[in-house]
Structure formats: C-alpha cells, structure tokens
C-alpha cells in the first residue's frame, strides 16, 4: 500500500512554551499584581518519525503529552523551535497557504460549520474558501452525501443536528477539497455506538478507496483497534512507542488471567510462576506469563488438590496494555 | 472579494434567524448615539456656539465620525470580536485554510444590528446638511463621502491593532477603547478645541484629523484652497491601514511560534 | 452571613488577578476624563459666565465620574448571571441554602468594589497631581468629604439594586440585550454621565431629580465639591435611603414572583 515511505517526515522536532504560574489566595493574588513567575514547559523533545502515503496512524498519549502540539506543527499552525518537518515535500509552517490546500483537519471538540445556517450553506462557503472547481465540488458533495448518509440533514441548520450527525458533517466538510492527508483530532468523542461505527467505517473506506492518509488522535482504544495499523505513542513530550498493534500485543500479550471454578476444601494454593489474585470458596484467579509457565501446569497443580469445574482464560485488552506502557515509562 | 460577500451572506442568514432580538438590539443601538447627540444638542442649547463652530457644523462632524464608526463596527466586527475567537481556540481553524488570515477574520463576524446606529447618524447627517447649504457642491459632497470611507479604514485599523494585541494578552484589551470609543468621542467634535498634543496625536499618529477636522475646514469654507487637497487629506485613513496590517502579520507570526 | 463574605472574597480575588486589565482601564478612564474636560472647557471659554456650575467644580465632577466609574455605571455586565437565567441552570442556585437576592446582590457589589479598589486610588492620586486647569480640587470642608463618602456608598447600594432589577427582568424577557441596553443608556444619561445634571435644561433636570439614577452619581459628586451644601446633602441622604428601600423591596418581590414562575415551568 505505501508508495512512499517518507511521505511525512519529522526530524528532531522540539517545542517549548512559557507558562505563567499562578497561586491561590488573597495575598498571592496581591503579590501577583507586581511579580509574575514563568516556567518553561518542554512540550516536545526531539520527536522524529515518518509516515508513508496511504497509512492510517493512531497517535496516542495521555492529556498534555504533546499530541495536539505535534498535530498543530504538522498542520502548519505552529512553528517549532527546532527540527525539520516535511509533508508531501512542503514545510508546513513555511508554505502555509499552499500546503493547507492538501490537508483536511477535523477538531473533534470544535466546529467549523456555521451554527445557524443549513449545512449546505457552510459547504458552499468552504467551496469558495478552498476555491474548489464547481464540477469537483458537486462530485465530492454527492460522494460524501452518499457515503456518510447526509441526504436528509444537508438542509438542516447545524444547531438542530445531533452530535453524531454533526460529526459526520464535520468530516464531510474537511474532505470537500479532496485532501490527501486528513488529521482527525478525537473524531469519536461523545458519540454513541452507532455513530462511532459509522465514522470508523467511513474512515476505513476513505483510506482504502481514495488512498487518503489519516492521522488520528484519540483516547478511545477501540478506535485504534478498528482503524490503525500503526501506533505512535507520546508521553511527556517524547516519542515512546512506534510500531504496529501486533507488535505491541506481542510485547505485552504474553500476560494471561485464568479463572478457575472448583469444588473441594482447600486453602489458597501457591503456584510458582503464577500470581494468586483471588481465592474464594469456589473460585480462584491467577495471573501468569505464558513465557514462564504454561496453562497446563497450573491446571495440573490445581487438580492435585481440588476438583476443577470450569476454566476461563483471558488475555489483556489494549487499554490495559497502554496503561502498562504508560507505567513502564512512568507517565 | 467574492469570498467576503459570501461571508456577508452567510452571516446575514444566521442573524435573520433571530429576528426579534435583532430588531430589539438595533433599536438599542439607535439610542446610544442618540443620547450622546442629545447631550451635544443640549450643550449648544445652553452655550450657543463652540469656539466659532455652530451646532450644525459640529453635527456634521459628529455624523461623519459616527457613520464611519458604525460601518466599521458592522463590517469589521470580526477584528473587534477577535478576543473571543482566539479564546475559543478557533483561530487554529483559520490557519488550516488556504486564505489570508486577515480576510478570514474579517469574515468571521458581522454585526448587522449596527444598522440602528447607522440610521441615527444618517439622520444627523441629513439634518446638518439641510442646514449647511454651503456644502451642496459636487466636489464637497465627494470629499464628504471620502471622509466617511476613510474614517471606516481608521476604525478598522484600530480594531486590527487591538486584535493583534490579543495574541499576547486579552486582559489589557480595554486600552483599545481609548482609540475606538475614545477616538470616536473625541473626533465627533472639531479637533481644534482640544489641547495641541491631543490634536497632533490624532492627526499624525491616528489620523482622525485627516477625515474630520482638516477636510471639514474646507467643506465649511473656514479655509480657502484647492478642492483637491482636502480629498488627499482623507486618504490618510487608507494609509493608516498599511502599518496596521503589517503589525497584524507580525502578531500572527508570534502566535504561530508560541501557540498561546 | 459567612457564606456571603466568602462569595465576596472569591469574586474579589478573581477581580484582583487582572492586573493588566486594571492598568488598561486606568489609562482609558484618564483619557476619557481629559477629553470630557477639554470639551467642557472649550464650551466654557466662549461663554459670558453665569453658568449653573463653575468649571472648577465641573472638572472635579468629571474626574469623580471617571475614578468611581465602576461604582456608577449601570451597565456592569455579569455574563455568568445572564447565562444562569437564560440557560435554566438557575435550578442549581436554588439548591443552595441562601436567599438568591442577597446572594446575587453581594456578587454584583463585590465585582464593582474589586474593580474600583484597583483603579480608583491610582487615578485619584494622579488627578490631584495634574497641572492646572486639569487638577482635581479637594473638598471644601471635612463635612463635605464625610458626607460624600456616605452618599457615594449609598449610591453604590442604590445602583446595585437597580441592576438587580435589570437582571430580574431577564427572567421575563430572556434576551438580555436590546431592552436593557436602552434602560441603561437612558439611566446613565439621567445620572449625568453624558452631560452633568446642572447643565441640563430645567425640564430635563426635573425628570432627572424625580428618578433614582442621579442619586447614584450626580448627587455624591456635587456633595464632594460643595456644590450641594451640607444641609441639603443631609436631606439628599434621606431620599437615597428611601429609594434604596423601594428598590430592594421591589426587587425581592419581583424575584420571588420570577422564581415561582421558573419552578412552575420546571414542573
């Protein structure tokens, strides 16, 4: 799929901000009238990665880790302190107006549609902003209407739309000018299950059929699982993980939890290589690592003492892996 | 330019969604300058004249400045209301679009309720002109139109400066009132009634004098001279926009390096 | 009572944070003071005398207006309160164990005082140092000064109760702007903010005297300069108290009615 591996390339990007500190209390407020303290916060430290054309990349990290700063730099809004960045051959912050013609940006928490007028009016204004030729505009509106099921809502003022309908229109609005790169900042935030699925399916189709490259930030790991083949994780301004989902699974995927229902009288049984999590009258829970002990060993150790009725094994889900990854890097 | 009218159109549509509040607000906007003008009338009622200026002469000055002010509040409101745009973080949105930021900000808001204010100052204009037959020549009326147009440029320039200020802090914004509201209050009287330093500041730094006092002298035959010169004076207003736009670009660059 | 004090404190601290805003406000107020004085001085320079108020007293009047602007302007908007009413979130406020009227009253007052405290002393200081003819004069006697403080404070109470009425009216109109704009513009005119009350023609003065607005600004400022003598001022205080009583009682009554309507609406 990826035709050009260095389609987007960031090298040694760094960015720091000056933040005024404020303290509580009447006395402190009076003091702040005269002196104000500043601290420098390093939002990004030496970030480097490249993304190939046609990829879908999930960009994750806890709040305040530097996600939106990176997105802002890549979309040409912010100028970094140092490092280089090239997207489709452009330097985003230098060739802003030329560059942004080729990208679409959806800020999930903010709207680019005009609140009080029908959606179609907003679209037409965007057509003029992006100077989209008429034929192409018509074709794109038709295509997006069809794919996102907008038929009934295009004539409605935005304030009457539900959140899910609005998000579909937002996404359509940022694709009117056929961008080759789409930034999605929390596109599924606050959406119900049906709308979430609709949005995800659309993104997948868009990527497959039009070859649009997608960079997606989200807190919802099921978004990543459904969409992204590749994961970038950032924490405290540094890139902590860059790889495929499978790789991550492989790294943390050896952990299992086994729940055993049993009959018989016995106190808690210690098994070497597994950790006892819970022990009650008829149920025992262990967590273990497949590289240290196999399930059969645990089962056989247990069956020496009690009669086993049922066994259930679960592996870690993505959310847990991410939390573990955060912990590993102490963020 | 086409895009600007598109913006205009879409805002008109939105504001018409709230007809009742639109009209109420417009009526309210009619009354604000009405009271100020009432004060001016009452002062002349008591004192008769102001350092050689008659009531209708000052009323003409008032009308020019208030017309400019209401027009720029209506059409350049985007800059005037810029602090809330930045506060909401919506400026980022403008930066990911392939058009100049100034144009997009200009199109981000229009305040059509200023029609009330516009109407009030138009009445004053007509009333004062009806009582100043000396102004009824073509070059003078043309000069008058230029005065109003360039007045709009000056107010717009000040709005742009104030908006640029928002990139650093939105706290001290009130100081911009000195130049918008203050400039308006001051320039509605002929500038020569003030202290020298004030007159100079508002002629050479912020060229209100170029659109009210100086050409007004010719309009009212208080000074002889060619008809071209006063027209040239008024262009000072358009000239004022140039540094304002340069400073705006500087502000945008600052925003993009700090992201504050 | 403690609850009101802490609301007051919170608002106050909040208002104090805006250092730059205060500086900007001071510059603005000084500038406006200068402009108004110059305009009045220009009018006076062509006059043959016999004006109802001397230029000296008028200058003091203008400076006091600017110094105590946040005490006297009617249009001191609290967006939070407007939103509270129009969005229907008023229900939360009703859950708190305190009267809504005194609660809002202290909130609005704290705002004004916080903004005045930061601004008034520096401006006051500067206006006393200005060169003639712009310098502000001291009051003619201690009695005038003392009465000024009393009347100013009462004026503040009156203006807050007027603005309470404005906020309460939002319960009915739901749109805070249009109609209120007109009331405040007219009110400020009648308080002598556009042209001083003594310079108004007789018929307008009678109207101004009959309404509460001029008692919040025009009256204390003329007490300060001695333009209103001490004995007359004492009578004026009685009238201020009367207005205060009327406005507060009316406000509380209207608020009770408004809240009853809200409760009914909410089912």
């Amino acid at each position: 799929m990826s035709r050009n591996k260095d389609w987007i390339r960031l090298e040694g990007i760094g960015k720091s901000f000056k933040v005024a500190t404020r303290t509580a209390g009447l006395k402190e407020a009076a003091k702040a009238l005269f002196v104000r303290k500043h601290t420098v916060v390093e939002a990004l430290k030496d970030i480097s990665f490249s993304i190939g054309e046609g990829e879908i990349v999930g960009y994750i990290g806890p709040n305040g880790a530097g996600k939106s700063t990176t997105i802002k730099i890549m979309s040409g809004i912010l100028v970094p302190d140092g490092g280089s960045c090239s997207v489709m051959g452009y330097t985003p912050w230098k060739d802003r107006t030329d560059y942004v013609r080729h990208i679409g940006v959806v800020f999930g928490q903010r709207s680019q549609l005009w609140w009080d007028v029908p959606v179609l009016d907003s679209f037409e204004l965007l057509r003029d902003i992006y100077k989209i030729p008429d034929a192409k505009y018509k074709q794109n509106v038709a295509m997006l209407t069809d794919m996102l099921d907008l038929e009934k809502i295009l004539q409605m003022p935005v304030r009457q739309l539900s959140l899910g309908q609005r998000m579909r229109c937002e996404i359509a609005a940022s694709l009117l000018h056929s961008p080759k790169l789409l930034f999605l900042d929390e596109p599924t935030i606050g959406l119900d299950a049906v709308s979430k699925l609709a949005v995800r399916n659309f993104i997948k189709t868009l990527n497959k059929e039009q070859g649009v490259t997608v960079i997606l930030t989200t807190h919802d790991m099921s978004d990543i699982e459904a969409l992204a083949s590749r994961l970038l994780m950032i924490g405290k301004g540094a890139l902590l993980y860059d790889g495929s989902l499978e790789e991550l699974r492989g790294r943390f995927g050896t952990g299992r939890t086994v729940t055993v229902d049993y009959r018989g009288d016995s106190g808690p049984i210690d098994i070497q290589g597994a950790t006892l999590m819970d022990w009650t009258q008829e149920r025992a829970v262990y967590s273990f690592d497949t590289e240290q002990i196999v399930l059969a060993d645990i089962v056989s150790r247990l069956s020496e003492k009690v009669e086993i009725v049922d066994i259930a094994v679960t592996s870690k889900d993505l959310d847990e892996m991410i939390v573990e990854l955060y912990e590993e890097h102490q963020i | 330019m086409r895009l600007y009218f598109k913006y205009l159109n879409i805002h008109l549509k939105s504001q018409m969604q709230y007809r009742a509040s639109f009209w109420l607000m417009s009526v309210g906007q009619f009354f604000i300058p009405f009271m100020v003008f009432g004060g001016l009338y009452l002062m002349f009622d008591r004192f008769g004249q102001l350092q050689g200026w008659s009531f209708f002469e000052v009323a003409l000055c008032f009308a020019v400045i208030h017309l400019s002010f209401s027009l720029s509040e209506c059409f350049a409101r985007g800059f005037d209301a810029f602090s809330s745009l930045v506060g909401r973080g919506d400026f980022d949105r403008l930066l990911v679009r392939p058009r100049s930021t100034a144009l997009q900000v200009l199109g981000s808001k229009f305040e059509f309720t200023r029609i009330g204010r516009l109407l009030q100052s138009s009445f004053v204009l007509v009333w004062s002109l009806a009582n100043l037959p000396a102004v009824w020549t073509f070059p003078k009326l043309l000069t008058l139109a230029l005065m109003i147009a360039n007045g709009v440029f000056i107010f717009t320039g000040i709005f742009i400066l104030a908006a640029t200020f928002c990139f650093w802090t939105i706290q001290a914004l009130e100081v911009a009132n000195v130049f918008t509201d203050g400039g308006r209050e001051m320039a509605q009287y002929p500038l020569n009634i003030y202290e020298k330093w004030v007159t100079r500041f508002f002629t050479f730094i912020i060229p209100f004098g170029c659109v009210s006092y100086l050409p007004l002298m010719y309009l009212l035959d208080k000074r002889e001279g060619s008809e071209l010169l006063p027209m040239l004076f008024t262009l000072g207003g358009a000239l004022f926009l140039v540094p304002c736009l340069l400073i705006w670009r500087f502000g945008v660059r600052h925003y993009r390096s700090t992201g504050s | 009572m403690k609850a009101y004090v802490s609301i007051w404190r919170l608002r106050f601290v909040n208002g104090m944070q805006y250092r730059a805003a205060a500086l900007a406000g001071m510059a603005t107020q000084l500038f406006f003071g200068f402009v108004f004085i110059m305009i009045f001085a220009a009018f006076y320079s062509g006059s043959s005398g016999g004006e109802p108020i001397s230029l000296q007293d008028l200058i003091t009047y203008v400076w006091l207006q600017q110094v105590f602007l946040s005490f006297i302007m009617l249009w001191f908007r609290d967006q939070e309160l407007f939103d509270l009413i129009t969005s229907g979130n008023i229900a939360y406020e009703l859950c708190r164990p305190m009267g809504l009227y005194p609660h809002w009253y202290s909130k609005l007052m704290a705002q004004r005082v916080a903004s005045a405290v930061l601004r008034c002393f520096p401006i006051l200081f500067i206006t006393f140092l200005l060169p003639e003819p712009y310098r502000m004069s001291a009051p003619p006697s201690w009695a005038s000064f003392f009465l000024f403080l009393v009347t100013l404070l009462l004026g503040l109470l009156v203006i807050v109760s007027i603005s309470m009425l404005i906020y309460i009216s939002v319960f009915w109109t739901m749109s805070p702007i249009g109609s209120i704009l007109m009331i405040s513009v007219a009110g400020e005119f009648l308080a002598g903010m556009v042209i001083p009350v003594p310079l108004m023609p007789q018929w307008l003065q009678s109207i101004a005297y009959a309404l509460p607005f001029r008692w919040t600004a025009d009256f204390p400022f003329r007490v300060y300069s001695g333009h209103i003598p001490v004995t007359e001022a004492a009578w004026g205080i009685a009238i201020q108290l009367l207005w205060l009583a009327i406005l507060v009682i009316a406000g509380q009554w209207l608020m009770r009615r408004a809240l009853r309507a809200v409760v009914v609406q909410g089912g």
Side-chain angles (χ1 to χ4, degrees):
Chain A
M1 184 89 193
S2 59
R3 281 149 274 185
N4 178 356
K5 272 199 151 174
D6 285 340
W7 202 58
I8 299 174
R9 186 180 186 85
L10 272 74
E11 243 168 306
I13 292 284
K15 182 81 205 164
S16 50
F17 300 110
K18 224 163 123 187
V19 183
T21 42
R22 223 169 237 174
T23 33
L26 190 61
K27 222 168 129 192
E28 291 302 318
K31 229 192 255 171
L33 282 179
F34 306 102
V35 211
R36 200 158 278 180
K37 283 182 206 137
H38 289 278
T39 42
V40 174
V41 179
E42 256 188 293
L44 293 179
K45 302 177 253 205
D46 193 27
I47 298 279
S48 307
F49 58 81
S50 28
I51 292 173
E53 190 175 2
E55 277 193 81
I56 300 187
V57 175
Y59 195 50
I60 59 167
N63 292 327
K67 272 188 319 238
S68 62
T69 307
T70 323
I71 297 287
K72 279 182 182 175
I73 286 172
M74 284 197 283
S75 54
I77 296 171
L78 266 184
V79 182
D81 298 337
S84 71
C85 169
S86 116
V87 184
M88 304 174 232
Y90 294 99
T91 302
W93 56 90
K94 276 189 190 141
D95 324 304
R96 190 184 70 81
T97 43
D98 285 330
Y99 168 67
V100 296
R101 260 178 235 289
H102 304 289
I103 64 166
V105 186
V106 177
F107 296 111
Q109 319 221 39
R110 286 186 229 134
S111 179
Q112 59 174 323
L113 303 167
W114 275 258
W115 191 244
D116 292 313
V117 295
V119 180
L120 207 54
D121 283 355
S122 292
F123 283 7
E124 274 168 20
L125 188 68
L126 287 168
R127 175 191 64 194
D128 289 341
I129 290 177
Y130 284 96
K131 298 181 186 159
I132 309 168
D134 248 352
K136 193 172 164 201
Y137 170 76
K138 277 197 189 115
Q139 185 194 334
N140 278 350
V141 170
M143 178 198 77
L144 291 165
T145 307
D146 182 47
M147 285 173 79
L148 284 163
D149 193 18
L150 303 178
E151 191 75 61
K152 286 181 211 120
I153 51 180
L154 277 184
Q155 297 297 339
M156 274 159 63
V158 177
R159 71 183 131 86
Q160 289 173 7
L161 300 183
S162 74
L163 198 59
Q165 291 172 325
R166 216 175 76 206
M167 184 51 72
R168 273 160 32 215
C169 294
E170 291 283 346
I171 293 178
S174 21
L175 291 169
L176 288 172
H177 56 290
S178 336
K180 284 182 263 172
L181 172 62
L182 182 63
F183 292 99
L184 294 167
D185 190 15
E186 313 220 11
T188 56
I189 196 161
L191 297 190
D192 60 52
V194 179
S195 310
K196 250 186 213 179
L197 280 183
V199 166
R200 282 182 199 152
N201 281 335
F202 171 74
I203 295 170
K204 248 194 262 179
T205 323
L206 184 79
N207 173 262
K208 235 185 229 141
E209 290 179 2
Q210 322 263 327
V212 174
T213 309
V214 179
I215 296 177
L216 168 89
T217 76
T218 182
H219 285 293
D220 186 343
M221 287 311 147
S222 52
D223 281 348
I224 303 277
E225 242 171 331
L227 290 170
S229 48
R230 182 166 158 213
L231 205 59
L232 292 174
M233 193 182 90
I234 189 172
K236 285 185 181 160
L239 196 64
L240 302 179
Y241 181 82
D242 176 359
S244 68
L245 256 178
E246 286 73 46
E247 219 174 297
L248 188 69
R249 282 235 169 76
R251 202 159 134 197
F252 291 97
T254 51
R256 298 278 189 278
T257 305
V258 58
T259 307
V260 180
D261 290 343
Y262 68 90
R263 232 176 267 147
D265 258 343
S266 170
I269 303 165
D270 282 320
I271 302 170
Q272 195 143 37
T275 319
L276 180 63
M277 308 290 283
D278 192 24
W279 185 276
T280 60
Q281 273 298 310
E282 63 267 347
R283 172 169 288 187
V285 182
Y286 293 90
S287 76
F288 65 99
D289 193 323
T290 48
E291 282 172 357
Q292 283 169 29
I293 185 169
V294 291
L295 183 62
D297 285 349
I298 298 177
V299 175
S300 72
R301 283 290 308 278
L302 283 174
S303 54
E304 284 166 16
K305 302 263 172 72
V306 294
E307 183 190 345
I308 291 174
V309 179
D310 191 15
I311 298 177
V313 186
T314 50
S315 59
K316 273 189 195 127
D317 65 16
L318 191 55
D319 272 315
E320 285 171 299
M321 288 187 230
I322 297 296
V323 170
E324 220 164 286
L325 202 57
Y326 287 172
E327 272 164 10
E328 194 177 289
H329 291 282
Q330 296 172 337
I331 53 172
Chain B
M1 215 47 203
R2 191 177 115 106
L3 183 60
Y4 184 79
F5 285 113
K6 266 280 180 196
Y7 276 126
L8 206 69
N9 184 26
I10 207 163
H11 282 283
L12 198 61
K13 261 192 195 168
S14 327
Q15 289 204 4
M16 282 305 139
Q17 298 266 317
Y18 305 94
R19 243 164 266 236
S21 110
F22 173 82
W23 288 117
L24 269 173
M25 189 70 191
S26 300
V27 174
Q29 286 292 336
F30 183 87
F31 270 93
I32 297 176
F34 183 78
M35 287 293 173
V36 178
F37 185 68
L40 191 144
Y41 176 82
L42 292 176
M43 287 303 278
F44 274 94
D45 191 39
R46 179 171 290 280
F47 290 94
Q49 49 84 36
L50 175 61
Q51 297 193 344
W53 296 79
S54 75
F55 168 66
F56 287 112
E57 287 168 349
V58 175
L60 183 63
C61 191
F62 175 97
V64 167
I65 288 299
H66 278 260
L67 272 174
S68 304
F69 182 74
S70 35
L71 282 171
S72 44
E73 264 215 319
C74 175
F75 295 107
R77 178 77 178 166
F79 281 106
D80 196 22
F82 185 67
S83 63
S84 65
L85 190 98
V86 159
R88 284 196 309 268
D90 279 346
F91 189 64
D92 288 352
R93 162 68 57 200
L94 303 190
L95 282 172
V96 298
R97 288 190 178 145
R99 287 305 185 96
S100 85
T101 48
L103 177 66
Q104 290 189 70
V105 173
L106 210 55
S108 69
K109 198 158 188 191
F110 294 93
E111 195 52 72
F112 297 106
T113 56
R114 295 299 183 268
I115 182 117
R117 210 177 249 276
L118 204 64
L119 222 58
Q120 197 274 342
S121 8
S122 307
F123 285 153
V124 175
L125 182 76
V126 172
W127 190 31
S128 59
L129 279 181
N131 287 281
L132 295 168
V135 187
W136 283 99
T137 67
F138 179 70
K140 282 188 175 175
L141 288 179
L142 182 67
T143 311
L144 194 64
L146 278 172
M147 286 160 71
I148 295 168
N150 281 286
V152 175
F153 291 143
I154 296 179
F155 281 115
T156 306
I158 299 170
F159 288 150
I160 293 176
L161 288 183
T164 311
F165 212 62
C166 297
F167 289 128
W168 281 270
T169 170
I170 53 171
Q171 278 188 28
L173 214 55
E174 208 183 323
V175 85
N177 290 351
V178 167
F179 304 110
T180 52
D181 294 353
R184 186 194 66 215
E185 290 297 311
M186 148 156 270
Q188 73 194 21
Y189 286 95
L191 282 185
N192 72 329
I193 68 165
Y194 300 104
E195 299 264 359
K196 273 275 166 311
W197 60 271
V198 181
T199 316
R200 280 197 193 122
F201 182 83
F202 281 97
T203 305
F204 296 112
I205 311 290
I206 299 178
F208 277 118
C210 293
V211 298
S212 66
Y213 174 63
L214 289 174
L216 204 62
M217 302 278 280
Y218 289 88
L219 288 193
L220 301 171
D221 299 322
K222 285 179 188 287
R223 190 172 294 174
E224 298 295 315
S226 80
E227 283 159 347
L228 203 64
L229 195 63
M231 287 188 205
L232 281 179
F233 275 143
T234 63
L235 297 182
L239 210 63
F240 177 66
L241 259 185
V242 177
C244 294
L245 282 170
L246 286 177
I247 293 172
W248 166 256
R249 289 181 60 173
F250 176 73
V252 172
R253 203 172 318 145
H254 171 83
Y255 175 87
R256 292 177 67 203
S257 68
T258 59
S260 47
Chain C
M1 200 57 205
K2 216 178 146 195
Y4 298 117
V5 174
S6 68
I7 286 175
W8 216 86
R9 216 182 91 98
L10 189 71
R11 283 265 139 183
F12 192 75
V13 169
N14 204 9
M16 292 278 280
Q17 276 184 0
Y18 298 105
R19 161 181 68 162
L23 275 175
M26 271 156 46
T28 315
Q29 278 151 251
L30 270 174
F31 176 83
F32 273 94
F34 268 117
V35 172
F36 290 144
I37 289 172
M38 281 184 235
I39 293 172
F40 288 131
F43 273 112
Y44 268 73
S45 73
S47 118
S48 44
E51 306 311 333
I53 182 169
S54 70
L55 185 59
Q56 177 89 51
D57 283 358
L58 196 62
I59 287 168
T60 304
Y61 190 98
V62 170
W63 281 131
L64 287 172
Q65 269 181 355
Q66 294 304 321
V67 170
F68 294 105
L69 194 64
S70 40
F71 273 20
I72 58 176
M73 62 192 220
L74 206 47
W75 188 229
F76 205 100
R77 187 180 174 141
D78 185 332
Q79 190 59 41
E80 218 179 292
L81 283 193
F82 277 129
D83 292 346
L84 214 61
I85 300 171
T86 48
S87 70
N89 280 343
I90 184 88
Y92 288 115
E93 295 269 299
L94 288 175
C95 295
R96 305 225 169 94
M98 51 202 307
L100 208 51
Y101 189 90
H103 178 175
W104 286 8
Y105 198 100
S106 43
K107 209 168 164 178
L108 290 176
M109 194 148 98
Q111 244 176 353
R112 285 173 186 266
V113 174
S115 131
V117 163
L118 271 179
R119 296 172 184 204
C120 74
F121 293 109
I123 303 188
L124 209 56
F125 183 70
I126 294 169
T127 52
F128 273 110
L129 294 180
L130 287 172
E132 292 291 355
Y134 296 102
R135 188 179 304 164
M136 167 133 149
S137 351
S141 68
W142 280 105
S144 294
F145 180 67
F146 179 70
L147 280 172
F148 161 71
L149 289 182
V150 175
T151 53
L152 183 72
L153 213 69
L154 282 172
L156 174 67
L157 293 173
V158 171
I159 198 117
V160 174
S161 43
I162 296 176
S163 53
M164 279 300 288
L165 284 179
I166 295 184
Y167 283 99
I168 293 167
S169 80
V170 179
F171 277 110
W172 280 281
T173 58
M174 276 306 170
S175 153
I177 316 168
S179 48
I180 293 168
L181 200 63
M182 274 186 272
I183 299 175
S184 3
V185 171
E188 288 188 353
F189 189 86
L190 289 168
M193 303 280 282
V194 178
I195 66 169
V197 175
L199 288 180
M200 290 178 183
Q202 206 52 51
W203 60 272
L204 199 58
Q205 278 193 38
S206 335
I207 298 177
Y209 274 68
L211 291 169
F213 304 109
R214 67 76 60 163
W215 296 100
T216 65
D218 172 68
F219 175 65
F221 298 160
R222 277 156 69 195
V223 168
Y224 176 95
S225 65
H227 191 256
I228 292 176
V230 173
T231 40
E232 211 184 314
W235 274 109
I237 290 179
I239 297 177
Q240 277 185 315
L241 284 169
L242 188 67
W243 269 118
L244 185 63
I246 293 173
L247 290 165
V248 169
I249 290 170
Q252 282 192 315
W253 182 73
L254 283 169
M255 189 147 204
R256 261 201 305 277
R257 285 201 47 179
L259 289 180
R260 211 175 302 145
V262 168
V263 173
V264 170
Q265 257 174 26

